[in-house]
Amino acid sequence: MGSVALLLLVCSSWLVSMAAAAPGPPIRAVNLGGWLVTEGWIMPSLFDNIPNKDLLDGTQLQIKSTTQNRYLVVDQGGASAILADRIQASSWETFRLWRINETTFNFRVYGGQFWGVDSNGALVATATTPGPSETFQIVRRDSDKTRVRIRAPTGLFLQAKTMASVTADRAGEYTDWSDNDPSVFLVNNVGNLYGEYQICNGCGIARATQVLRSHWDTFITEDDFKFIALSGLNAVRIPVGWWIASDPNPPLPFVGGSLQALDNAFRWARNYNIGVIVDLHAAPGSQNPYDHSATRDGSQEWGTTDANIAQTVQVIEFLVSRYANNTALLAVELLNEPLTKYYQDGYNAVRRYTPTAYVIMSNRLQIADQKELLQFASGFPGAVLDVHYYNLFDSKFENLTVEQNIDFVRNNRSADLATITNQNGRPLTFVGEWSAAWGVQGANPTDYQRFARVQQDVYGNATFGWAYWTLQNVNAVWNMTFMIQNGIITLK
Ligand SMILES: *[C@@H]1O[C@H](CO)[C@@H](O)[C@H](O)[C@H]1NC(C)=O
Ligand SMILES: *[C@@H]1O[C@H](CO)[C@@H](O)[C@H](O)[C@H]1NC(C)=O
Ligand SMILES: *[C@@H]1O[C@H](CO)[C@@H](O)[C@H](O)[C@H]1NC(C)=O
Ligand SMILES: *[C@@H]1O[C@H](CO)[C@@H](O)[C@H](O)[C@H]1NC(C)=O
Ligand SMILES: *[C@@H]1O[C@H](CO)[C@@H](O)[C@H](O)[C@H]1NC(C)=O
Ligand SMILES: *[C@@H]1O[C@H](CO)[C@@H](O)[C@H](O)[C@H]1NC(C)=O
């Protein structure tokens, strides 16, 4: 081979490898939300056909005795008897379901204990883990699902004959469902979760596997990556759950197969020269009480033990060892919960496999102190600080006009961003979630265009870049595909 030919070969393989490298900052990205971590509001139809789908894990019930006209309450919040004497319902009067199947549940009280029946037949909440003796059946009236009877593990129904106790001592299937029957209760459903835990446990393993695999195959496809590239975006941020690390056999109720979908995403990303941010979005024990942490009932137990942090670091290790040498890997986002011990260990785990992938740490979702992580994150080469900017989720946005919303982004958000931007670029800054959703009613397309534009202008100053939430969503304004196809968002 002549030296010119050799030079050409070297150059062309260098060109090929350059072309294949993930784009670097500043990135213009879109989140692939609601794909590998379920969020019901993004795609509600996933929950169709689940029997009693208003009684999934984590459903919060307030339960009123019709006879006493009083709410059930766990006295002192937990580790005590259930009474039927409260006029108003708040936290001690709210019970969270753990679903066994469509009719059978554990009831968790404020303090974390579960309903059971003591030796006198009284309803108490003393057990700290639920077993057969903490398992109750809800029997709903056909014509009015809010009217229920509750069968205790003994087979007898609960009744509130007085305000001073609830007893499991009513035999017989028959009721006239009237207020005079002390075994009839009125149920107020005051909170629901529609996350990964709910869909998996609500469907059961066999059906959940079908539903989710079909979702993973159709919700995001290679065509979406083509669209992303043609639209002028250069990266995706992909939320994943901790169970992906034990694919194909994750612990129940989670189902396997999301790893294959993530592998596909990396292949498509390479085909279209798109960078991938792998974003651990749900940690074991759940780092927040929202659907998207895959919590069972809203309790937040992540980060409370070393074991649980170590397990999370192993998830990062699994992901980074799999994709470290993939040219599409742009960054690993450790979790949207700033626990510095975990961030330190997670950062080290990433660096054991790659010197170049960015490592993203995140401010708390709603925080007063925006600089909480600034100093800490500045100590790590290649660290990025993620902030989420929505003109929502805070009463201060409730009644803002179009102009006030735009001014807020132009003035307040740009000041916020400047606050966390160090001149030396350590850490880099990333608006990892934003959208054109707001509290304005009746806005027209031009209003949305201007609101999206000012955000692109301001967040364009973030040194790592930004990512819209999200690519696909049944709600048009949260659906970047819709926003781009309809000319509301354009990339320069
Ligand atoms: C639900 O679980 C209970 C307790 O294991 C069982 O007795 C019942 O048959 C189950 N019901 C359904 C509909 O699977
Ligand atoms: C990545 O590639 C390097 C060089 O080929 C190799 O030494 C390393 O083991 C690879 N890492 C992984 C995680 O596959
Ligand atoms: C927004 O307007 C509504 C209706 O006028 C009012 O009830 C509410 O208090 C306002 N919210 C704030 C935060 O000012
Ligand atoms: C935006 O910043 C201005 C100037 O600092 C401040 O007066 C105003 O209260 C801020 N707006 C909101 C909604 O926080
Ligand atoms: C971007 O940052 C620079 C420097 O802080 C500032 O002067 C400029 O106004 C910012 N642009 C926007 C659109 O916020
Ligand atoms: C998002 O919008 C596109 C374009 O209108 C539409 O084809 C797609 O079905 C939407 N996604 C969802 C999940 O509804």
Side-chain angles (χ1 to χ4, degrees), residues 151-199:
R151 197 197 302 269
T154 54
L156 301 175
F157 285 100
L158 298 183
Q159 46 183 352
K161 289 179 290 191
T162 73
M163 290 188 198
S165 69
V166 177
T167 48
D169 56 357
R170 170 68 176 274
E173 297 296 322
Y174 179 77
T175 173
D176 62 4
W177 291 108
S178 76
D179 288 359
N180 300 326
D181 182 340
S183 73
V184 173
F185 296 89
L186 274 174
V187 162
N188 241 350
N189 189 328
V190 296
N192 296 93
L193 289 167
Y194 294 101
E196 191 83 9
Y197 202 102
Q198 286 70 33
I199 190 147

Tab-separated table of all heavy atoms in Angstrom, residues 151-199:
chain	number	residue	atom	x	y	z
A	151	ARG	N	-63.576	-6.491	53.975
A	151	ARG	CA	-63.520	-7.806	54.622
A	151	ARG	C	-62.136	-8.009	55.241
A	151	ARG	O	-61.109	-7.846	54.579
A	151	ARG	CB	-63.786	-8.901	53.589
A	151	ARG	CG	-64.165	-10.244	54.224
A	151	ARG	CD	-64.023	-11.395	53.246
A	151	ARG	NE	-64.817	-11.274	52.042
A	151	ARG	CZ	-66.049	-11.741	51.902
A	151	ARG	NH1	-66.654	-12.345	52.905
A	151	ARG	NH2	-66.676	-11.610	50.752
A	152	ALA	N	-62.142	-8.338	56.520
A	152	ALA	CA	-60.888	-8.547	57.254
A	152	ALA	C	-60.309	-9.915	56.903
A	152	ALA	O	-61.003	-10.764	56.348
A	152	ALA	CB	-61.157	-8.441	58.749
A	153	PRO	N	-59.045	-10.148	57.256
A	153	PRO	CA	-58.413	-11.440	56.960
A	153	PRO	C	-59.168	-12.616	57.589
A	153	PRO	O	-59.082	-13.734	57.091
A	153	PRO	CB	-57.010	-11.316	57.569
A	153	PRO	CG	-56.800	-9.893	57.879
A	153	PRO	CD	-58.097	-9.183	57.848
A	154	THR	N	-59.901	-12.368	58.649
A	154	THR	CA	-60.679	-13.433	59.291
A	154	THR	C	-61.893	-13.832	58.466
A	154	THR	O	-62.571	-14.805	58.788
A	154	THR	CB	-61.202	-12.933	60.656
A	154	THR	OG1	-61.913	-11.707	60.412
A	154	THR	CG2	-60.085	-12.684	61.635
A	155	GLY	N	-62.231	-13.063	57.443
A	155	GLY	CA	-63.423	-13.349	56.639
A	155	GLY	C	-64.617	-12.508	57.054
A	155	GLY	O	-65.602	-12.411	56.330
A	156	LEU	N	-64.530	-11.884	58.239
A	156	LEU	CA	-65.629	-11.025	58.715
A	156	LEU	C	-65.425	-9.598	58.204
A	156	LEU	O	-64.301	-9.172	57.936
A	156	LEU	CB	-65.659	-11.045	60.240
A	156	LEU	CG	-65.848	-12.438	60.858
A	156	LEU	CD1	-65.733	-12.365	62.381
A	156	LEU	CD2	-67.190	-13.041	60.440
A	157	PHE	N	-66.538	-8.860	58.094
A	157	PHE	CA	-66.440	-7.478	57.613
A	157	PHE	C	-66.172	-6.514	58.770
A	157	PHE	O	-66.598	-6.752	59.917
A	157	PHE	CB	-67.743	-7.073	56.923
A	157	PHE	CG	-67.908	-7.683	55.558
A	157	PHE	CD1	-68.723	-8.803	55.383
A	157	PHE	CD2	-67.248	-7.153	54.457
A	157	PHE	CE1	-68.870	-9.371	54.118
A	157	PHE	CE2	-67.401	-7.721	53.195
A	157	PHE	CZ	-68.214	-8.831	53.021
A	158	LEU	N	-65.505	-5.405	58.434
A	158	LEU	CA	-65.294	-4.331	59.411
A	158	LEU	C	-66.609	-3.605	59.641
A	158	LEU	O	-67.395	-3.432	58.716
A	158	LEU	CB	-64.273	-3.315	58.875
A	158	LEU	CG	-62.862	-3.802	58.581
A	158	LEU	CD1	-62.004	-2.610	58.133
A	158	LEU	CD2	-62.243	-4.477	59.802
A	159	GLN	N	-66.807	-3.152	60.875
A	159	GLN	CA	-67.920	-2.231	61.112
A	159	GLN	C	-67.571	-1.232	62.203
A	159	GLN	O	-66.747	-1.496	63.082
A	159	GLN	CB	-69.226	-2.957	61.396
A	159	GLN	CG	-69.153	-4.103	62.371
A	159	GLN	CD	-70.510	-4.810	62.513
A	159	GLN	OE1	-71.529	-4.347	61.990
A	159	GLN	NE2	-70.534	-5.913	63.233
A	160	ALA	N	-68.225	-0.087	62.116
A	160	ALA	CA	-68.025	0.988	63.095
A	160	ALA	C	-69.332	1.131	63.864
A	160	ALA	O	-70.174	1.961	63.521
A	160	ALA	CB	-67.637	2.280	62.392
A	161	LYS	N	-69.462	0.332	64.905
A	161	LYS	CA	-70.707	0.382	65.694
A	161	LYS	C	-70.692	1.561	66.656
A	161	LYS	O	-71.729	2.038	67.079
A	161	LYS	CB	-70.885	-0.936	66.466
A	161	LYS	CG	-71.240	-2.106	65.526
A	161	LYS	CD	-71.385	-3.424	66.275
A	161	LYS	CE	-70.033	-3.900	66.783
A	161	LYS	NZ	-70.065	-5.291	67.292
A	162	THR	N	-69.480	1.983	67.020
A	162	THR	CA	-69.322	3.196	67.832
A	162	THR	C	-68.164	3.981	67.222
A	162	THR	O	-67.454	3.474	66.362
A	162	THR	CB	-68.948	2.873	69.298
A	162	THR	OG1	-67.577	2.423	69.316
A	162	THR	CG2	-69.864	1.802	69.881
A	163	MET	N	-67.970	5.202	67.747
A	163	MET	CA	-66.836	5.994	67.259
A	163	MET	C	-65.525	5.507	67.863
A	163	MET	O	-64.456	5.835	67.355
A	163	MET	CB	-67.027	7.464	67.633
A	163	MET	CG	-68.146	8.135	66.862
A	163	MET	SD	-68.118	9.902	67.201
A	163	MET	CE	-69.770	10.345	66.664
A	164	ALA	N	-65.594	4.727	68.933
A	164	ALA	CA	-64.406	4.410	69.714
A	164	ALA	C	-63.578	3.266	69.147
A	164	ALA	O	-62.454	3.047	69.579
A	164	ALA	CB	-64.793	4.101	71.151
A	165	SER	N	-64.141	2.527	68.197
A	165	SER	CA	-63.344	1.449	67.620
A	165	SER	C	-63.980	0.981	66.310
A	165	SER	O	-65.140	1.273	66.022
A	165	SER	CB	-63.237	0.264	68.585
A	165	SER	OG	-64.506	-0.370	68.704
A	166	VAL	N	-63.174	0.275	65.555
A	166	VAL	CA	-63.657	-0.389	64.351
A	166	VAL	C	-63.378	-1.862	64.594
A	166	VAL	O	-62.268	-2.230	64.986
A	166	VAL	CB	-62.914	0.107	63.100
A	166	VAL	CG1	-63.382	-0.647	61.862
A	166	VAL	CG2	-63.099	1.606	62.925
A	167	THR	N	-64.392	-2.700	64.392
A	167	THR	CA	-64.222	-4.114	64.728
A	167	THR	C	-64.499	-4.993	63.516
A	167	THR	O	-65.321	-4.657	62.667
A	167	THR	CB	-65.167	-4.507	65.888
A	167	THR	OG1	-66.473	-4.003	65.578
A	167	THR	CG2	-64.683	-3.921	67.199
A	168	ALA	N	-63.790	-6.121	63.498
A	168	ALA	CA	-63.953	-7.065	62.387
A	168	ALA	C	-64.862	-8.185	62.871
A	168	ALA	O	-64.406	-9.264	63.233
A	168	ALA	CB	-62.593	-7.603	61.966
A	169	ASP	N	-66.156	-7.909	62.913
A	169	ASP	CA	-67.063	-8.875	63.537
A	169	ASP	C	-68.431	-8.925	62.868
A	169	ASP	O	-69.426	-9.226	63.498
A	169	ASP	CB	-67.228	-8.553	65.029
A	169	ASP	CG	-67.704	-7.126	65.256
A	169	ASP	OD1	-67.850	-6.369	64.268
A	169	ASP	OD2	-67.930	-6.751	66.414
A	170	ARG	N	-68.478	-8.613	61.600
A	170	ARG	CA	-69.766	-8.662	60.918
A	170	ARG	C	-69.753	-9.802	59.899
A	170	ARG	O	-68.988	-9.762	58.938
A	170	ARG	CB	-70.016	-7.332	60.215
A	170	ARG	CG	-71.195	-7.333	59.271
A	170	ARG	CD	-72.536	-7.473	59.990
A	170	ARG	NE	-73.576	-7.368	58.976
A	170	ARG	CZ	-74.067	-6.199	58.573
A	170	ARG	NH1	-73.640	-5.078	59.114
A	170	ARG	NH2	-74.981	-6.178	57.619
A	171	ALA	N	-70.595	-10.808	60.164
A	171	ALA	CA	-70.664	-11.943	59.250
A	171	ALA	C	-71.713	-11.665	58.177
A	171	ALA	O	-72.594	-10.836	58.357
A	171	ALA	CB	-71.020	-13.211	60.016
A	172	GLY	N	-71.589	-12.327	57.071
A	172	GLY	CA	-72.674	-12.291	56.089
A	172	GLY	C	-72.404	-11.389	54.913
A	172	GLY	O	-71.860	-10.305	55.069
A	173	GLU	N	-72.786	-11.845	53.741
A	173	GLU	CA	-72.562	-11.092	52.512
A	173	GLU	C	-73.606	-9.991	52.351
A	173	GLU	O	-73.391	-9.035	51.629
A	173	GLU	CB	-72.664	-12.032	51.287
A	173	GLU	CG	-71.623	-13.132	51.233
A	173	GLU	CD	-70.204	-12.597	51.091
A	173	GLU	OE1	-70.003	-11.597	50.368
A	173	GLU	OE2	-69.298	-13.171	51.733
A	174	TYR	N	-74.760	-10.152	52.994
A	174	TYR	CA	-75.862	-9.242	52.682
A	174	TYR	C	-75.687	-7.871	53.322
A	174	TYR	O	-75.332	-7.725	54.484
A	174	TYR	CB	-77.220	-9.820	53.119
A	174	TYR	CG	-78.314	-8.835	52.791
A	174	TYR	CD1	-78.774	-8.692	51.484
A	174	TYR	CD2	-78.813	-7.984	53.779
A	174	TYR	CE1	-79.728	-7.729	51.160
A	174	TYR	CE2	-79.773	-7.022	53.463
A	174	TYR	CZ	-80.222	-6.903	52.154
A	174	TYR	OH	-81.135	-5.947	51.845
A	175	THR	N	-75.974	-6.845	52.521
A	175	THR	CA	-76.132	-5.491	53.061
A	175	THR	C	-77.153	-4.774	52.195
A	175	THR	O	-77.263	-5.072	51.000
A	175	THR	CB	-74.822	-4.694	53.062
A	175	THR	OG1	-75.123	-3.340	53.448
A	175	THR	CG2	-74.152	-4.686	51.701
A	176	ASP	N	-77.879	-3.841	52.769
A	176	ASP	CA	-78.775	-3.002	51.941
A	176	ASP	C	-78.041	-1.732	51.491
A	176	ASP	O	-78.607	-0.876	50.872
A	176	ASP	CB	-80.056	-2.658	52.706
A	176	ASP	CG	-79.765	-1.847	53.973
A	176	ASP	OD1	-78.572	-1.491	54.216
A	176	ASP	OD2	-80.716	-1.568	54.719
A	177	TRP	N	-76.765	-1.637	51.851
A	177	TRP	CA	-75.885	-0.519	51.483
A	177	TRP	C	-76.366	0.823	52.061
A	177	TRP	O	-75.957	1.875	51.596
A	177	TRP	CB	-75.735	-0.399	49.949
A	177	TRP	CG	-74.958	-1.523	49.332
A	177	TRP	CD1	-75.462	-2.527	48.563
A	177	TRP	CD2	-73.552	-1.759	49.410
A	177	TRP	NE1	-74.461	-3.386	48.164
A	177	TRP	CE2	-73.274	-2.930	48.665
A	177	TRP	CE3	-72.486	-1.114	50.048
A	177	TRP	CZ2	-71.993	-3.467	48.542
A	177	TRP	CZ3	-71.203	-1.632	49.911
A	177	TRP	CH2	-70.978	-2.797	49.170
A	178	SER	N	-77.226	0.776	53.053
A	178	SER	CA	-77.733	2.039	53.591
A	178	SER	C	-76.765	2.593	54.641
A	178	SER	O	-75.890	1.883	55.136
A	178	SER	CB	-79.102	1.832	54.231
A	178	SER	OG	-78.919	1.205	55.496
A	179	ASP	N	-76.966	3.849	54.995
A	179	ASP	CA	-76.142	4.493	56.021
A	179	ASP	C	-76.339	3.839	57.386
A	179	ASP	O	-75.527	4.045	58.291
A	179	ASP	CB	-76.501	5.979	56.119
A	179	ASP	CG	-76.016	6.769	54.916
A	179	ASP	OD1	-75.382	6.154	54.023
A	179	ASP	OD2	-76.280	7.980	54.849
A	180	ASN	N	-77.413	3.094	57.534
A	180	ASN	CA	-77.665	2.456	58.838
A	180	ASN	C	-76.847	1.197	59.057
A	180	ASN	O	-76.804	0.669	60.161
A	180	ASN	CB	-79.143	2.085	58.976
A	180	ASN	CG	-80.011	3.306	58.881
A	180	ASN	OD1	-79.601	4.386	59.326
A	180	ASN	ND2	-81.174	3.173	58.262
A	181	ASP	N	-76.231	0.724	57.997
A	181	ASP	CA	-75.417	-0.489	58.136
A	181	ASP	C	-74.004	-0.071	58.548
A	181	ASP	O	-73.286	0.560	57.773
A	181	ASP	CB	-75.389	-1.246	56.806
A	181	ASP	CG	-74.591	-2.543	56.907
A	181	ASP	OD1	-73.763	-2.666	57.851
A	181	ASP	OD2	-74.770	-3.416	56.048
A	182	PRO	N	-73.579	-0.402	59.773
A	182	PRO	CA	-72.256	0.035	60.240
A	182	PRO	C	-71.088	-0.609	59.486
A	182	PRO	O	-69.935	-0.229	59.710
A	182	PRO	CB	-72.237	-0.363	61.717
A	182	PRO	CG	-73.317	-1.353	61.885
A	182	PRO	CD	-74.338	-1.143	60.806
A	183	SER	N	-71.380	-1.562	58.600
A	183	SER	CA	-70.290	-2.141	57.800
A	183	SER	C	-70.167	-1.452	56.442
A	183	SER	O	-69.370	-1.875	55.605
A	183	SER	CB	-70.502	-3.648	57.615
A	183	SER	OG	-71.564	-3.893	56.709
A	184	VAL	N	-70.945	-0.387	56.247
A	184	VAL	CA	-70.854	0.351	54.977
A	184	VAL	C	-70.021	1.617	55.186
A	184	VAL	O	-70.252	2.371	56.136
A	184	VAL	CB	-72.262	0.712	54.448
A	184	VAL	CG1	-72.166	1.617	53.230
A	184	VAL	CG2	-73.035	-0.566	54.112
A	185	PHE	N	-69.047	1.801	54.314
A	185	PHE	CA	-68.162	2.962	54.405
A	185	PHE	C	-68.166	3.727	53.088
A	185	PHE	O	-68.367	3.143	52.018
A	185	PHE	CB	-66.726	2.523	54.730
A	185	PHE	CG	-66.601	1.859	56.079
A	185	PHE	CD1	-66.772	0.481	56.219
A	185	PHE	CD2	-66.327	2.611	57.215
A	185	PHE	CE1	-66.663	-0.128	57.468
A	185	PHE	CE2	-66.206	2.008	58.467
A	185	PHE	CZ	-66.379	0.634	58.596
A	186	LEU	N	-67.925	5.023	53.195
A	186	LEU	CA	-67.803	5.863	52.002
A	186	LEU	C	-66.331	6.180	51.788
A	186	LEU	O	-65.655	6.621	52.726
A	186	LEU	CB	-68.541	7.182	52.208
A	186	LEU	CG	-70.018	7.186	51.876
A	186	LEU	CD1	-70.620	8.528	52.272
A	186	LEU	CD2	-70.219	6.924	50.386
A	187	VAL	N	-65.889	5.968	50.584
A	187	VAL	CA	-64.463	6.122	50.307
A	187	VAL	C	-64.225	7.344	49.425
A	187	VAL	O	-64.855	7.515	48.398
A	187	VAL	CB	-63.940	4.851	49.602
A	187	VAL	CG1	-62.635	5.129	48.921
A	187	VAL	CG2	-63.775	3.734	50.606
A	188	ASN	N	-63.329	8.183	49.902
A	188	ASN	CA	-62.879	9.358	49.159
A	188	ASN	C	-61.507	9.058	48.600
A	188	ASN	O	-60.579	8.832	49.367
A	188	ASN	CB	-62.656	10.479	50.173
A	188	ASN	CG	-63.519	11.639	49.934
A	188	ASN	OD1	-64.167	11.716	48.910
A	188	ASN	ND2	-63.530	12.561	50.897
A	189	ASN	N	-61.373	9.084	47.301
A	189	ASN	CA	-60.061	8.826	46.692
A	189	ASN	C	-59.345	10.158	46.543
A	189	ASN	O	-59.750	10.994	45.742
A	189	ASN	CB	-60.308	8.151	45.334
A	189	ASN	CG	-59.044	7.626	44.701
A	189	ASN	OD1	-57.977	8.199	44.876
A	189	ASN	ND2	-59.180	6.540	43.966
A	190	VAL	N	-58.300	10.398	47.333
A	190	VAL	CA	-57.689	11.733	47.351
A	190	VAL	C	-56.293	11.785	46.744
A	190	VAL	O	-55.636	12.824	46.787
A	190	VAL	CB	-57.644	12.322	48.780
A	190	VAL	CG1	-59.049	12.525	49.308
A	190	VAL	CG2	-56.838	11.440	49.725
A	191	GLY	N	-55.828	10.669	46.185
A	191	GLY	CA	-54.501	10.735	45.553
A	191	GLY	C	-54.209	9.443	44.830
A	191	GLY	O	-54.545	8.364	45.320
A	192	ASN	N	-53.609	9.554	43.679
A	192	ASN	CA	-53.288	8.359	42.892
A	192	ASN	C	-51.886	8.479	42.337
A	192	ASN	O	-51.407	9.579	42.092
A	192	ASN	CB	-54.239	8.202	41.709
A	192	ASN	CG	-55.665	7.982	42.158
A	192	ASN	OD1	-56.437	8.919	42.296
A	192	ASN	ND2	-55.997	6.747	42.438
A	193	LEU	N	-51.258	7.355	42.124
A	193	LEU	CA	-49.969	7.319	41.438
A	193	LEU	C	-50.145	6.498	40.165
A	193	LEU	O	-50.852	5.484	40.171
A	193	LEU	CB	-48.904	6.670	42.325
A	193	LEU	CG	-48.431	7.481	43.534
A	193	LEU	CD1	-47.641	6.596	44.489
A	193	LEU	CD2	-47.580	8.663	43.083
A	194	TYR	N	-49.524	6.956	39.087
A	194	TYR	CA	-49.545	6.216	37.825
A	194	TYR	C	-48.117	6.106	37.306
A	194	TYR	O	-47.746	6.734	36.330
A	194	TYR	CB	-50.458	6.914	36.803
A	194	TYR	CG	-51.912	6.900	37.221
A	194	TYR	CD1	-52.504	8.028	37.780
A	194	TYR	CD2	-52.672	5.745	37.083
A	194	TYR	CE1	-53.833	8.003	38.194
A	194	TYR	CE2	-54.001	5.711	37.498
A	194	TYR	CZ	-54.568	6.839	38.043
A	194	TYR	OH	-55.879	6.808	38.464
A	195	GLY	N	-47.321	5.314	38.012
A	195	GLY	CA	-45.925	5.140	37.620
A	195	GLY	C	-45.644	3.696	37.249
A	195	GLY	O	-46.560	2.885	37.057
A	196	GLU	N	-44.345	3.384	37.186
A	196	GLU	CA	-43.924	2.037	36.772
A	196	GLU	C	-44.429	0.964	37.745
A	196	GLU	O	-44.868	-0.104	37.324
A	196	GLU	CB	-42.396	1.993	36.709
A	196	GLU	CG	-41.847	0.750	36.035
A	196	GLU	CD	-41.820	0.860	34.518
A	196	GLU	OE1	-42.062	1.975	33.976
A	196	GLU	OE2	-41.552	-0.162	33.860
A	197	TYR	N	-44.361	1.258	39.046
A	197	TYR	CA	-44.819	0.259	40.017
A	197	TYR	C	-46.300	-0.034	39.807
A	197	TYR	O	-46.734	-1.193	39.810
A	197	TYR	CB	-44.582	0.756	41.461
A	197	TYR	CG	-44.532	-0.389	42.453
A	197	TYR	CD1	-43.320	-0.845	42.947
A	197	TYR	CD2	-45.700	-1.051	42.843
A	197	TYR	CE1	-43.259	-1.920	43.824
A	197	TYR	CE2	-45.653	-2.128	43.714
A	197	TYR	CZ	-44.430	-2.552	44.201
A	197	TYR	OH	-44.371	-3.628	45.065
A	198	GLN	N	-47.071	1.037	39.592
A	198	GLN	CA	-48.522	0.880	39.471
A	198	GLN	C	-48.901	0.095	38.223
A	198	GLN	O	-49.779	-0.769	38.270
A	198	GLN	CB	-49.204	2.258	39.446
A	198	GLN	CG	-49.246	2.938	40.807
A	198	GLN	CD	-47.886	3.396	41.280
A	198	GLN	OE1	-47.036	3.788	40.485
A	198	GLN	NE2	-47.654	3.363	42.579
A	199	ILE	N	-48.245	0.391	37.100
A	199	ILE	CA	-48.651	-0.334	35.897
A	199	ILE	C	-48.236	-1.795	35.984
A	199	ILE	O	-48.994	-2.692	35.609
A	199	ILE	CB	-48.139	0.338	34.606
A	199	ILE	CG1	-48.825	-0.330	33.420
A	199	ILE	CG2	-46.636	0.260	34.428
A	199	ILE	CD1	-49.085	0.561	32.290
